Coordinates of all heavy atoms in Angstrom, one line a residue:
M1 N 186.0 114.3 86.0 CA 184.9 115.0 86.6 C 185.0 116.4 86.3 O 186.0 117.1 86.5 CB 184.8 114.7 88.1 CG 183.6 115.1 88.7 SD 183.5 114.8 90.5 CE 184.0 113.1 90.7
S2 N 183.9 117.0 85.7 CA 183.9 118.4 85.4 C 183.7 119.3 86.6 O 183.2 118.9 87.6 CB 182.9 118.7 84.3 OG 181.6 118.4 84.8
P3 N 184.2 120.6 86.5 CA 184.0 121.5 87.7 C 182.5 121.7 87.9 O 181.6 121.5 87.0 CB 184.7 122.7 87.3 CG 184.9 122.7 85.8 CD 184.9 121.2 85.4
S4 N 182.1 122.2 89.1 CA 180.8 122.4 89.5 C 180.1 123.4 88.5 O 180.7 124.5 88.3 CB 180.7 123.0 90.9 OG 179.4 123.4 91.2
R5 N 178.9 123.1 88.1 CA 178.2 124.0 87.2 C 176.8 124.3 87.8 O 176.0 125.0 87.3 CB 178.0 123.4 85.8 CG 179.2 123.1 85.1 CD 178.9 122.5 83.7 NE 177.7 121.6 83.8 CZ 177.0 121.2 82.8 NH1 177.4 121.5 81.5 NH2 176.0 120.3 82.9
A6 N 176.5 123.7 89.0 CA 175.2 123.9 89.6 C 175.0 125.4 89.9 O 175.9 126.1 90.2 CB 175.1 123.1 90.9
H7 N 173.7 125.8 89.8 CA 173.3 127.2 90.1 C 173.1 127.3 91.6 O 172.3 126.6 92.2 CB 172.1 127.6 89.3 CG 172.2 127.4 87.9 ND1 173.0 128.3 87.1 CD2 171.6 126.6 87.0 CE1 172.9 127.9 85.8 NE2 172.1 126.9 85.7
K8 N 173.9 128.2 92.2 CA 173.8 128.4 93.6 C 172.9 129.6 94.0 O 173.1 130.7 93.4 CB 175.2 128.6 94.2 CG 175.2 128.7 95.7 CD 176.6 128.8 96.2 CE 176.7 129.0 97.7 NZ 178.0 129.3 98.2
V9 N 171.9 129.4 94.8 CA 171.0 130.4 95.3 C 171.1 130.3 96.8 O 170.5 129.3 97.4 CB 169.6 130.3 94.8 CG1 168.7 131.4 95.4 CG2 169.6 130.3 93.3
G10 N 171.7 131.2 97.5 CA 171.9 131.1 99.0 C 172.7 129.9 99.3 O 173.9 129.8 98.8
S11 N 172.2 129.0 100.0 CA 172.9 127.7 100.3 C 172.3 126.5 99.5 O 172.7 125.4 99.7 CB 172.8 127.4 101.8 OG 171.4 127.2 102.2
L12 N 171.5 126.8 98.5 CA 170.8 125.8 97.7 C 171.6 125.6 96.4 O 172.0 126.6 95.8 CB 169.4 126.1 97.5 CG 168.5 126.3 98.7 CD1 167.1 126.7 98.3 CD2 168.5 125.0 99.6
L13 N 171.6 124.4 95.9 CA 172.2 124.2 94.6 C 171.1 123.6 93.7 O 170.4 122.6 94.0 CB 173.4 123.2 94.7 CG 174.6 123.7 95.4 CD1 175.7 122.6 95.4 CD2 175.2 124.9 94.7
F14 N 171.0 124.1 92.5 CA 170.1 123.7 91.5 C 170.7 123.1 90.3 O 171.8 123.6 89.8 CB 169.2 124.9 91.0 CG 168.3 125.4 92.2 CD1 168.8 126.4 93.0 CD2 167.0 124.9 92.3 CE1 168.0 126.8 94.0 CE2 166.2 125.3 93.4 CZ 166.7 126.3 94.2
C15 N 170.1 122.1 89.7 CA 170.7 121.4 88.5 C 170.7 122.4 87.4 O 169.8 123.1 87.1 CB 169.8 120.2 88.1 SG 170.3 119.4 86.6
P16 N 171.9 122.5 86.7 CA 172.0 123.4 85.6 C 171.3 123.0 84.4 O 171.0 123.8 83.5 CB 173.5 123.5 85.3 CG 174.0 122.2 85.8 CD 173.1 121.8 87.0
D17 N 171.0 121.7 84.3 CA 170.3 121.2 83.1 C 168.7 121.3 83.2 O 168.1 121.7 82.2 CB 170.6 119.7 82.9 CG 172.1 119.5 82.5 OD1 172.8 120.5 82.1 OD2 172.6 118.4 82.7
C18 N 168.1 121.0 84.3 CA 166.7 121.0 84.4 C 166.1 121.9 85.5 O 164.9 122.2 85.6 CB 166.1 119.6 84.6 SG 166.5 118.9 86.3
G19 N 167.0 122.5 86.4 CA 166.6 123.4 87.4 C 166.1 122.8 88.7 O 165.6 123.5 89.6
T20 N 166.1 121.5 88.8 CA 165.7 120.8 90.0 C 166.6 121.1 91.2 O 167.8 121.1 91.0 CB 165.6 119.3 89.8 OG1 164.7 119.0 88.7 CG2 165.1 118.5 91.0
L21 N 166.0 121.2 92.4 CA 166.8 121.4 93.6 C 167.6 120.1 93.9 O 167.0 119.0 93.9 CB 165.9 121.7 94.8 CG 166.6 121.8 96.2 CD1 167.6 123.0 96.2 CD2 165.5 122.0 97.2
L22 N 168.9 120.2 94.0 CA 169.8 119.0 94.2 C 169.7 118.7 95.7 O 169.7 119.6 96.6 CB 171.2 119.3 93.8 CG 171.4 119.5 92.3 CD1 172.8 119.9 92.0 CD2 171.0 118.3 91.5
S23 N 169.7 117.4 96.0 CA 169.8 116.9 97.4 C 171.1 117.1 98.0 O 172.1 117.3 97.3 CB 169.4 115.4 97.4 OG 168.2 115.2 96.8
L24 N 171.1 117.2 99.3 CA 172.4 117.2 100.0 C 173.1 115.9 99.9 O 172.4 114.8 99.9 CB 172.2 117.5 101.5 CG 171.7 118.9 101.9 CD1 171.3 119.0 103.3 CD2 172.8 119.9 101.6
P25 N 174.4 115.8 99.8 CA 175.1 114.6 99.7 C 175.1 113.8 101.0 O 175.1 114.4 102.1 CB 176.6 115.0 99.4 CG 176.7 116.4 99.8 CD 175.3 117.0 99.7
R26 N 174.9 112.5 100.9 CA 175.0 111.7 102.1 C 176.4 111.4 102.5 O 177.3 111.7 101.7 CB 174.3 110.3 101.8 CG 172.8 110.5 101.6 CD 172.1 109.1 101.4 NE 170.7 109.2 101.2 CZ 170.2 109.1 100.0 NH1 171.0 108.8 98.9 NH2 168.9 109.3 99.8
D27 N 176.6 111.0 103.7 CA 178.0 110.7 104.2 C 178.7 109.8 103.2 O 178.2 108.7 102.9 CB 178.0 110.1 105.6 CG 177.6 111.1 106.7 OD1 177.8 112.3 106.4 OD2 177.2 110.7 107.7
G28 N 179.9 110.2 102.8 CA 180.7 109.3 101.9 C 180.4 109.4 100.4 O 181.1 108.9 99.6
E29 N 179.3 110.1 100.0 CA 179.0 110.3 98.6 C 179.9 111.3 98.0 O 180.2 112.3 98.6 CB 177.5 110.8 98.4 CG 176.5 109.8 98.4 CD 175.1 110.4 98.0 OE1 174.8 111.5 98.4 OE2 174.4 109.6 97.4
K30 N 180.4 111.0 96.8 CA 181.3 111.9 96.1 C 180.6 112.6 95.0 O 181.1 113.6 94.5 CB 182.5 111.1 95.5 CG 183.3 110.4 96.6 CD 184.7 110.2 96.1 CE 185.5 109.4 97.1 NZ 186.0 110.2 98.2
I31 N 179.4 112.1 94.6 CA 178.6 112.7 93.6 C 177.1 112.8 94.0 O 176.6 111.8 94.6 CB 178.7 111.9 92.3 CG1 180.2 112.0 91.7 CG2 177.7 112.4 91.2 CD1 180.4 111.1 90.5
V32 N 176.5 113.9 93.7 CA 175.0 114.0 93.9 C 174.4 114.0 92.5 O 174.7 114.7 91.6 CB 174.7 115.4 94.6 CG1 173.2 115.5 94.7 CG2 175.4 115.5 95.9
T33 N 173.4 113.0 92.4 CA 172.8 112.9 91.1 C 171.4 113.5 91.1 O 170.6 113.3 92.1 CB 172.6 111.4 90.8 OG1 173.9 110.7 90.8 CG2 172.0 111.1 89.4
C34 N 171.1 114.3 90.1 CA 169.8 114.9 90.0 C 168.7 113.9 89.8 O 168.9 113.0 89.0 CB 169.8 115.9 88.8 SG 168.2 116.7 88.5
E35 N 167.6 114.0 90.6 CA 166.6 113.0 90.5 C 165.8 113.0 89.3 O 165.1 112.1 88.9 CB 165.7 113.1 91.7 CG 166.4 112.8 93.1 CD 165.5 113.1 94.3 OE1 164.3 113.4 94.1 OE2 166.0 112.9 95.4
Q36 N 165.8 114.2 88.6 CA 165.0 114.3 87.4 C 165.7 114.0 86.1 O 165.2 113.3 85.2 CB 164.5 115.8 87.2 CG 163.5 116.2 88.3 CD 162.3 115.4 88.3 OE1 161.7 115.2 87.2 NE2 161.8 114.9 89.4
C37 N 167.0 114.4 85.9 CA 167.7 114.3 84.7 C 169.0 113.5 84.8 O 169.7 113.3 83.8 CB 167.9 115.6 84.0 SG 169.1 116.6 84.8
A38 N 169.3 113.1 86.0 CA 170.5 112.3 86.2 C 171.9 113.1 86.1 O 172.9 112.5 86.0 CB 170.6 111.0 85.4
Y39 N 171.8 114.4 86.1 CA 173.0 115.2 86.0 C 173.8 114.9 87.3 O 173.2 114.7 88.4 CB 172.6 116.7 86.0 CG 173.8 117.6 86.3 CD1 174.8 117.9 85.4 CD2 173.9 118.2 87.6 CE1 175.8 118.7 85.7 CE2 175.0 119.0 87.9 CZ 175.9 119.3 86.9 OH 177.0 120.1 87.2
E40 N 175.1 114.8 87.2 CA 176.0 114.5 88.3 C 176.7 115.8 88.8 O 177.5 116.3 88.0 CB 176.9 113.4 88.0 CG 176.2 112.1 87.8 CD 177.1 110.9 87.5 OE1 178.3 111.2 87.1 OE2 176.7 109.8 87.7
E41 N 176.6 116.1 90.0 CA 177.2 117.3 90.6 C 178.2 116.8 91.7 O 177.9 115.9 92.5 CB 176.2 118.2 91.3 CG 176.8 119.4 92.0 CD 177.4 120.5 91.0 OE1 177.0 120.5 89.8 OE2 178.2 121.3 91.5
P42 N 179.5 117.2 91.7 CA 180.4 116.8 92.7 C 179.9 117.2 94.1 O 179.4 118.3 94.3 CB 181.7 117.6 92.4 CG 181.5 118.1 91.0 CD 180.1 118.2 90.7
A43 N 180.0 116.3 95.0 CA 179.6 116.5 96.4 C 180.4 117.7 97.1 O 179.8 118.3 98.0 CB 179.6 115.3 97.2
N44 N 181.6 117.9 96.6 CA 182.4 118.9 97.2 C 181.9 120.3 96.9 O 182.4 121.3 97.4 CB 183.9 118.7 96.9 CG 184.2 118.9 95.4 OD1 183.3 119.2 94.6 ND2 185.4 118.7 95.1
S45 N 180.9 120.4 96.0 CA 180.3 121.7 95.8 C 179.5 122.3 97.0 O 179.3 123.5 97.1 CB 179.2 121.6 94.6 OG 179.9 121.2 93.5
Y46 N 179.2 121.4 97.9 CA 178.5 121.8 99.2 C 179.5 122.1 100.3 O 179.1 122.6 101.3 CB 177.6 120.6 99.7 CG 176.4 120.4 98.8 CD1 176.4 119.6 97.7 CD2 175.2 121.1 99.1 CE1 175.3 119.4 96.9 CE2 174.1 121.0 98.3 CZ 174.1 120.1 97.3 OH 173.0 120.0 96.5
E47 N 180.8 121.9 100.1 CA 181.8 122.3 101.1 C 181.9 123.8 101.3 O 181.7 124.5 100.3 CB 183.2 121.7 100.7 CG 183.2 120.2 100.8 CD 184.6 119.6 100.4 OE1 185.5 120.4 100.1 OE2 184.7 118.4 100.4
N48 N 182.1 124.2 102.5 CA 182.2 125.6 102.9 C 181.0 126.4 102.6 O 181.1 127.6 102.4 CB 183.5 126.2 102.2 CG 184.7 125.5 102.6 OD1 184.9 125.1 103.8 ND2 185.6 125.3 101.6
V49 N 179.8 125.8 102.5 CA 178.6 126.5 102.4 C 178.1 126.9 103.8 O 177.9 126.0 104.6 CB 177.5 125.7 101.6 CG1 176.2 126.4 101.6 CG2 178.0 125.4 100.2
I50 N 177.9 128.2 104.0 CA 177.4 128.6 105.3 C 175.9 128.8 105.3 O 175.4 129.5 104.4 CB 178.1 129.9 105.7 CG1 179.6 129.7 105.9 CG2 177.5 130.5 107.0 CD1 180.4 131.0 106.1
I51 N 175.2 128.2 106.2 CA 173.8 128.3 106.3 C 173.4 129.1 107.5 O 173.8 128.7 108.6 CB 173.1 126.9 106.3 CG1 173.5 126.1 105.0 CG2 171.6 127.0 106.4 CD1 173.1 124.6 105.1
T52 N 172.7 130.2 107.3 CA 172.2 131.0 108.4 C 170.7 131.1 108.4 O 170.2 131.4 107.3 CB 172.8 132.4 108.3 OG1 174.3 132.3 108.2 CG2 172.4 133.3 109.5
T53 N 170.1 130.8 109.5 CA 168.6 130.9 109.5 C 168.2 131.9 110.6 O 168.9 132.1 111.6 CB 167.9 129.6 109.8 OG1 168.4 129.1 111.1 CG2 168.2 128.5 108.7
R54 N 167.2 132.7 110.3 CA 166.7 133.6 111.2 C 165.2 133.5 111.3 O 164.5 133.2 110.3 CB 167.0 135.1 110.8 CG 168.5 135.4 110.8 CD 168.8 136.8 110.4 NE 170.2 137.1 110.2 CZ 170.9 136.9 109.1 NH1 170.3 136.5 108.0 NH2 172.2 137.2 109.1
S55 N 164.6 133.8 112.4 CA 163.2 133.8 112.5 C 162.7 135.1 113.3 O 163.5 135.6 114.1 CB 162.6 132.6 113.3 OG 163.2 132.5 114.6
D56 N 161.6 135.6 112.9 CA 161.0 136.8 113.6 C 160.7 136.4 115.0 O 160.1 135.3 115.3 CB 159.8 137.2 112.8 CG 159.3 138.5 113.3 OD1 158.5 138.5 114.3 OD2 159.5 139.5 112.6
P57 N 160.9 137.3 116.0 CA 160.6 137.0 117.3 C 159.1 136.7 117.6 O 158.7 136.0 118.5 CB 161.0 138.3 118.1 CG 161.9 139.0 117.2 CD 161.6 138.6 115.8
E58 N 158.3 137.2 116.7 CA 156.8 137.0 116.8 C 156.4 135.6 116.2 O 155.3 135.2 116.3 CB 156.1 138.1 116.1 CG 156.4 139.5 116.6 CD 155.9 139.7 118.1 OE1 154.8 139.2 118.4 OE2 156.7 140.3 118.8
A59 N 157.3 135.0 115.5 CA 157.0 133.7 114.9 C 156.7 132.6 115.8 O 155.9 131.7 115.5 CB 158.1 133.3 113.9
F60 N 157.2 132.6 117.0 CA 157.1 131.6 118.0 C 156.6 132.2 119.3 O 157.4 132.4 120.2 CB 158.3 130.8 118.2 CG 158.8 130.1 116.9 CD1 159.8 130.7 116.2 CD2 158.2 129.0 116.4 CE1 160.3 130.2 115.0 CE2 158.7 128.4 115.2 CZ 159.7 129.0 114.5
P61 N 155.3 132.5 119.5 CA 154.9 133.2 120.7 C 155.0 132.3 121.9 O 154.9 131.1 121.8 CB 153.4 133.5 120.4 CG 153.0 132.6 119.3 CD 154.3 132.3 118.5
S62 N 155.4 132.8 123.0 CA 155.5 132.1 124.2 C 154.7 132.8 125.3 O 154.6 134.0 125.3 CB 156.9 131.9 124.7 OG 157.5 133.1 125.1
A63 N 154.3 132.1 126.4 CA 153.6 132.7 127.5 C 154.4 133.8 128.2 O 154.0 134.8 128.5 CB 153.1 131.7 128.4
L64 N 155.7 133.5 128.3 CA 156.6 134.4 129.0 C 156.8 135.7 128.2 O 156.7 136.8 128.7 CB 158.0 133.8 129.2 CG 159.0 134.6 129.9 CD1 158.5 134.9 131.3 CD2 160.4 133.8 130.0
R65 N 156.9 135.6 126.9 CA 157.1 136.8 126.0 C 155.8 137.6 126.0 O 155.8 138.8 126.0 CB 157.4 136.3 124.6 CG 157.8 137.5 123.8 CD 158.3 137.2 122.4 NE 159.5 136.4 122.4 CZ 159.7 135.2 121.9 NH1 158.8 134.6 121.2 NH2 160.9 134.6 122.0
Q66 N 154.6 136.9 126.1 CA 153.3 137.6 126.1 C 153.2 138.4 127.4 O 152.6 139.5 127.4 CB 152.2 136.6 126.0 CG 152.1 136.0 124.6 CD 151.9 136.9 123.5 OE1 151.2 138.0 123.7 NE2 152.4 136.6 122.3
K67 N 153.7 137.9 128.5 CA 153.6 138.6 129.8 C 154.5 139.9 129.8 O 154.2 140.8 130.5 CB 154.0 137.7 130.9 CG 153.0 136.6 131.2 CD 153.5 135.8 132.4 CE 152.5 134.7 132.7 NZ 152.9 133.8 133.8
R68 N 155.6 139.9 129.0 CA 156.4 141.0 128.9 C 155.8 142.2 128.2 O 156.1 143.3 128.4 CB 157.7 140.6 128.1 CG 158.8 140.3 128.9 CD 160.1 140.1 128.1 NE 160.1 140.6 126.7 CZ 160.9 140.1 125.8 NH1 161.8 139.2 126.1 NH2 160.8 140.6 124.6
K69 N 154.9 141.9 127.3 CA 154.2 143.0 126.5 C 153.1 143.6 127.4 O 152.4 143.0 128.1 CB 153.6 142.4 125.3 CG 154.6 141.9 124.3 CD 153.9 141.4 123.1 CE 154.9 141.0 122.0 NZ 154.2 140.5 120.8
T70 N 153.0 144.9 127.2 CA 151.9 145.7 127.8 C 150.8 145.8 126.7 O 151.0 146.3 125.6 CB 152.4 147.1 128.2 OG1 153.5 146.9 129.1 CG2 151.3 147.8 128.8
Q71 N 149.7 145.2 127.1 CA 148.6 145.3 126.1 C 147.5 146.2 126.7 O 146.9 145.8 127.8 CB 148.1 143.9 125.9 CG 149.1 143.0 125.2 CD 148.6 141.6 124.9 OE1 147.5 141.3 125.3 NE2 149.4 140.8 124.3
T72 N 147.2 147.3 126.1 CA 146.2 148.2 126.6 C 145.2 148.4 125.4 O 145.6 148.4 124.3 CB 146.8 149.5 127.1 OG1 147.5 150.1 126.0 CG2 147.7 149.3 128.3
K73 N 144.0 148.7 125.8 CA 143.0 149.0 124.8 C 142.6 150.5 125.0 O 142.2 150.9 126.1 CB 141.8 148.1 125.0 CG 140.7 148.4 123.9 CD 139.6 147.4 124.1 CE 138.5 147.7 123.1 NZ 137.3 146.8 123.2
Q74 N 142.6 151.3 124.0 CA 142.2 152.7 124.0 C 140.8 152.8 123.6 O 140.4 152.3 122.6 CB 143.1 153.5 123.1 CG 144.6 153.5 123.4 CD 144.9 154.2 124.7 OE1 144.2 155.1 125.1 NE2 146.0 153.8 125.3
H75 N 140.0 153.4 124.5 CA 138.6 153.6 124.2 C 138.4 154.9 123.6 O 139.0 155.9 124.1 CB 137.7 153.4 125.5 CG 137.7 152.0 126.0 ND1 137.0 151.0 125.5 CD2 138.4 151.5 127.1 CE1 137.2 149.9 126.2 NE2 138.1 150.1 127.1
E76 N 137.5 155.0 122.7 CA 137.1 156.3 122.1 C 136.3 157.1 123.1 O 135.6 156.5 124.0 CB 136.4 156.1 120.8 CG 137.2 155.5 119.7 CD 136.4 155.3 118.4 OE1 135.4 156.1 118.3 OE2 136.7 154.5 117.6
T77 N 136.4 158.4 123.0 CA 135.6 159.3 123.9 C 134.2 159.0 123.8 O 133.7 158.9 122.6 CB 135.9 160.8 123.6 OG1 137.3 161.0 123.6 CG2 135.2 161.7 124.6
G78 N 133.5 158.9 124.9 CA 132.1 158.6 124.8 C 131.7 157.2 124.7 O 130.5 156.8 124.7
D79 N 132.7 156.3 124.7 CA 132.4 154.9 124.6 C 131.7 154.4 125.9 O 132.2 154.6 127.0 CB 133.7 154.1 124.5 CG 133.5 152.6 124.3 OD1 132.4 152.2 124.2 OD2 134.5 151.8 124.2
Q80 N 130.6 153.9 125.8 CA 129.8 153.4 127.0 C 130.0 152.0 127.2 O 129.3 151.4 128.1 CB 128.3 153.7 126.7 CG 128.0 155.2 126.5 CD 128.0 156.0 127.7 OE1 127.6 155.5 128.8 NE2 128.5 157.2 127.7
G81 N 130.8 151.3 126.5 CA 130.9 149.8 126.7 C 129.8 149.1 126.1 O 129.1 149.6 125.1
T82 N 129.4 148.0 126.6 CA 128.2 147.3 126.1 C 127.0 147.7 126.9 O 126.9 147.6 128.1 CB 128.4 145.8 126.2 OG1 129.6 145.4 125.6 CG2 127.3 145.0 125.7
L83 N 126.0 148.2 126.2 CA 124.7 148.6 126.8 C 123.7 147.5 126.6 O 123.5 147.1 125.5 CB 124.2 149.9 126.3 CG 125.2 151.1 126.5 CD1 124.6 152.3 125.8 CD2 125.4 151.4 128.0
V84 N 123.0 147.1 127.6 CA 122.0 146.1 127.5 C 120.7 146.7 127.9 O 120.5 147.4 128.9 CB 122.3 144.9 128.5 CG1 121.2 143.9 128.4 CG2 123.6 144.3 128.2
S85 N 119.7 146.6 127.0 CA 118.4 147.1 127.3 C 117.4 146.0 127.4 O 117.5 145.0 126.6 CB 118.0 148.1 126.3 OG 117.9 147.6 125.0
D86 N 116.5 146.1 128.3 CA 115.5 145.0 128.4 C 114.3 145.2 127.5 O 113.8 146.2 127.2 CB 115.0 145.0 129.9 CG 116.1 144.5 130.8 OD1 116.8 143.6 130.4 OD2 116.2 145.1 131.9

């Protein structure tokens, strides 16, 4: 078995032959096979890969978080609001 040649971008591994994203190895698999070109990557290439995800606090709004925010509307000078004429 040859050493790992997959292209690593972050925590993702791409096939060096065709560029396809390689799947994660299943339990007990020793080799991950590229679905497009049948390239074989050793499953141990995924060992010690640290995956860190982050999300923006605004990405998942909640009622509690909305209550924490102060929402005010600034009116321009002379703003009369909505005027209704008959």
Side-chain angles (χ1 to χ4, degrees):
M1 193 179 308
S2 63
S4 172
R5 299 182 321 166
H7 300 292
K8 183 177 178 187
V9 177
S11 61
L12 304 174
L13 293 180
F14 293 88
C15 176
D17 294 340
C18 70
T20 300
L21 177 63
L22 296 173
S23 300
L24 290 171
R26 294 187 181 100
D27 287 339
E29 272 188 329
K30 297 203 185 286
I31 295 175
V32 176
T33 304
C34 176
E35 295 175 2
Q36 294 297 314
C37 70
Y39 166 78
E40 294 182 340
E41 177 71 20
N44 65 3
S45 297
Y46 287 91
E47 290 178 2
N48 301 319
V49 173
I50 297 171
I51 300 171
T52 304
T53 58
R54 293 182 188 91
S55 59
D56 187 279
E58 302 296 321
F60 302 100
S62 70
L64 182 61
R65 190 175 295 127
Q66 291 299 327
K67 287 180 182 181
R68 263 188 12 202
K69 291 183 179 180
T70 303
Q71 297 179 357
T72 58
K73 181 177 179 183
Q74 298 292 332
H75 294 282
E76 293 180 23
T77 305
D79 183 7
Q80 299 286 323
T82 302
L83 299 176
V84 178
S85 60
D86 292 318

